[in-house]
Amino acid sequence: MNVETTIRNLRGRGFTVTYFPTAAEAADYLDQAIDGKTVGVGGTVTVQDLGMYERLSGHNEVYWHWYKSEGLTLDEVYARCATAQVYLSSVNAIAETGEIVNIDGRGNRTSSMLFGHEKLYLVAGVNKIAGTYEKAVWRARNVAAPKDAQRLGRKTPCALKADKCYDCKSPDRICNGLLTLLGPVSSMETEVVLIGEELGF
Ligand code: SF4
């Protein structure tokens, strides 16, 4: 995996890229950069591991379906996320050639990568980098999704061993949409915050 090549190709496609050697430095940066905003967050272990809910909630209005918002139903939390000024997510894979790949079951996370916010932050450890676009799609389908299905306790064949995708037709399937960002969409500034550690899956 070549981090420098990946950063160069992401920038070449129009993404803003910031790189931090450690998760702690990235968390400090995000905490400083996002202030006084409404913030929506997708289902992301990476952003959770950075402790961003606790940190951002002190000086922003944060909506995240993994955390309870007083007085709001889950659907209302999703709606607030969808219209927040800033959106944070991780990604399932980044190709060294600069494409960003994501799989989604509900579609809230991937739709927010396409529309609805002033600024999108995509936070990822270098373990998400794959050599080619084809390998990035393979990683999203065969590494990230099975591990996520296992984390969610889904009754899918992949969740048993988290070893590969079986392209199941299970009602518990978490893979319904596959999104590739070839570049940032024109309506949103999109910043990739790349971290030199293994984070999430
Ligand atoms: S399609 Fe089914 S088997 Fe494949 S990763 Fe998704 S949930 Fe698992």
Side-chain angles (χ1 to χ4, degrees), residues 4 45 65 69 85 108 118 148 159 181 195:
E4 280 177 19
V45 171
H65 62 285
S69 284
Q85 290 168 295
N108 57 303
E118 290 171 10
D148 207 31
L181 286 178
I195 303 168

Side-chain angles (χ1 to χ4, degrees), residues 141 145-146 156 158 165-168 173-175:
R141 298 204 67 183
T156 56
C158 67
C165 172
Y166 294 83
D167 199 16
C168 71
R173 176 179 168 120
I174 63 163
C175 311

